[in-house]
Amino acid sequence: MTYSFTQISQYLSCPRRYRYRYLEGWREKGIRAAMLFGRAFEQALSAYFRREDSAAVLFKEWAAHKESKLDYSNGMTWDRMLQQGIQLLERFAQDVRIRIRQPRKNLQIKFTRPLPKGNDFVAYVDAIGRLDGTRCLLEWKTTSTRYPEEPQGLLMLDPQLVCYSWMTGIPDIAQVVFVRKRLVEIQYLRTTITEEQREEFGRLVDDTIRRIESAQFLPHSGVRFPQNPCTSCPYVGLCLGQPELVDATLVRRPGDDLGLFDELTY
């Protein structure tokens, strides 16, 4: 069995949701515009490092979804997101803070780690390069809001970054956040993951897989106001036994992919 960070994190947030998604094959119907735009923007970044026309690549990749029925948030439109993306690419080129040698080799890198009982763990790292001259693992993020920078050191608690460090053995990580807002902004955030954190994550993966393979899928209800993640969970109709909610938000595709590429979403 092949596992990924997304599978582990979904199980930890709610084992019942993991069962719905990965074992029973339930998938969300709606397609988030931000997710597809993030993938198109990543292709444009790759083109930039290959010294190609990144704006043209962004337009081409994003144009493939222009006529699609997408879920846009905050009154956003296809044209507005394209404009923000081009502005971000221009700003990124002006900053000249990131360097990546051999971009065809050091962009979107697949890492695989063997696990006990014939299992393995896969992760796709956005890039390995240099930020302001310091070698580090790089992660791209596109978002409509700034990432918090306080308290200092907060980024080292990001479990996905800990996962990437565990997979690669690289302690220094930079998160480059492309903020889509009226005045676009790019955040260059740094952190260092310790050996202790990597070891703890490895134990977490082993423990989580053991529970998955033992078929422990007890629900983790989020109904506790004012925080209530169950209301935004696409699988809530299954837990409530309400077919109309299931039909509105989900489609069942047994035997579909196991979500190995879910972490490429934004």
Side-chain angles (χ1 to χ4, degrees), residues 7-228:
Q7 289 173 261
I8 297 299
S9 62
Q10 288 218 13
Y11 181 88
L12 292 173
S13 66
C14 181
R16 186 65 51 84
R17 175 172 174 163
Y18 177 96
R19 191 186 76 186
Y20 293 148
R21 166 66 178 90
Y22 295 104
L23 301 184
E24 298 182 4
W26 291 101
R27 300 290 301 272
E28 292 183 63
K29 281 184 177 179
I31 302 176
R32 292 179 289 120
M35 177 189 72
L36 295 178
F37 180 82
R39 291 179 177 175
F41 191 82
E42 182 177 283
Q43 293 298 317
L45 283 175
S46 296
Y48 167 80
F49 288 110
R50 294 194 303 266
R51 301 184 183 278
E52 300 171 5
D53 188 336
S54 58
V57 171
L58 176 62
F59 178 83
K60 176 184 176 183
E61 296 292 331
W62 186 223
H65 308 292
K66 188 172 186 178
E67 304 303 325
S68 303
K69 294 182 179 180
L70 304 180
D71 295 331
Y72 290 91
S73 59
N74 301 321
M76 193 57 61
T77 65
W78 185 93
D79 292 288
R80 179 58 180 150
M81 293 181 78
L82 175 63
Q83 181 184 21
Q84 290 175 333
I86 292 175
Q87 291 172 344
L88 284 165
L89 289 171
E90 292 173 349
R91 177 71 178 272
F92 186 68
Q94 292 168 1
D95 289 346
V96 198
R97 297 183 62 182
I98 301 291
R99 300 286 187 184
I100 297 177
R101 296 183 59 189
Q102 298 180 290
R104 297 187 184 277
K105 175 183 177 182
N106 290 315
L107 287 167
Q108 205 44 238
I109 315 161
K110 179 181 179 180
F111 287 88
T112 303
R113 184 181 183 121
L115 299 174
K117 298 183 179 180
N119 296 319
D120 56 18
F121 196 100
V122 65
Y124 290 84
V125 173
D126 287 335
I128 295 176
R130 293 182 179 274
L131 169 59
D132 298 333
T134 300
R135 183 178 183 271
C136 58
L137 184 152
L138 295 156
E139 183 190 38
W140 319 128
K141 286 291 183 182
T142 57
T143 176
S144 59
T145 56
R146 297 183 84 255
Y147 275 31
E149 300 183 44
E150 297 293 338
Q152 186 176 1
L154 185 64
L155 193 63
M156 71 180 298
L157 302 180
D158 185 321
Q160 189 164 17
L161 299 185
V162 176
C163 172
Y164 290 161
S165 183
W166 173 69
M167 288 293 291
T168 64
I170 299 174
D172 294 319
I173 297 180
Q175 196 171 62
V176 184
V177 184
F178 297 88
V179 188
R180 297 183 294 99
K181 56 181 184 177
R182 190 175 64 85
L183 295 176
V184 299
E185 180 183 0
I186 303 177
Q187 295 175 276
Y188 297 88
L189 309 177
R190 304 171 184 265
T191 192
T192 299
I193 306 301
T194 66
E195 180 61 30
E196 181 181 6
Q197 285 179 285
R198 289 192 288 273
E199 292 175 354
E200 287 179 344
F201 187 83
R203 291 195 294 270
L204 177 66
V205 168
D206 290 342
D207 180 69
T208 304
I209 292 175
R210 177 185 57 79
R211 285 187 280 163
I212 291 172
E213 294 182 342
S214 299
Q216 298 181 31
F217 300 113
L218 298 174
H220 286 182
S221 174
V223 179
R224 186 66 181 178
F225 296 99
Q227 295 181 342
N228 190 3

